[in-house]
Amino acid sequence: MKVLAVELSIRLFDSYSLKDKRSVVKSIIAKMHQRYNISIAEVADQDMLNQAVIGIAIVSSSMVLCQQVLDKVVEEIESNYEVEIFQIKDSL
């Protein structure tokens, strides 16, 4: 069993209130969890208007598969939302 845990630091562009931010972050979390069956949650910067930190954990039989799923998640977030992922940090 292999586990990949990372933190994505995200900059939101069209967020003018915490309500806007939470709407986008909740949408990202729900869609990525549903589509890729990963554990995902907002883990820091909850009170910052234009930034969020999202924690992701992926469990698989090989680290290559974990990395492939993470790459797909990152690509989908950046292509479907008005955000920029400016840092990906290993949590373990």
Side-chain angles (χ1 to χ4, degrees):
M1 176 177 71
K2 304 297 180 192
V3 178
L4 177 64
V6 296
E7 290 182 356
L8 303 180
S9 297
I10 296 174
R11 186 169 294 116
L12 293 94
F13 294 118
D14 291 332
S15 177
Y16 302 106
S17 68
L18 287 176
K19 188 174 181 179
D20 291 341
K21 174 195 171 182
R22 288 189 181 109
S23 171
V24 172
V25 171
K26 283 186 177 189
S27 175
I28 290 170
I29 289 171
K31 287 183 182 177
M32 296 305 112
H33 174 70
Q34 181 181 20
R35 188 161 292 148
Y36 296 103
N37 195 24
I38 58 176
S39 295
I40 182 169
E42 185 176 11
V43 295
D45 293 342
Q46 285 94 344
D47 293 333
M48 292 188 69
L49 188 62
N50 293 329
Q51 289 186 6
V53 178
I54 296 176
I56 297 176
I58 304 166
V59 179
S60 182
S61 59
S62 76
M63 192 54 75
V64 172
L65 290 174
C66 290
Q67 190 62 48
Q68 288 175 347
V69 171
L70 178 64
D71 292 342
K72 288 179 185 177
V73 168
V74 167
E75 180 182 326
E76 189 164 334
I77 290 171
E78 286 186 324
S79 65
N80 293 332
Y81 296 94
E82 291 293 322
V83 299
E84 172 193 12
I85 298 174
F86 64 91
Q87 183 178 30
I88 300 175
K89 182 171 63 169
D90 289 337
S91 290
L92 296 177

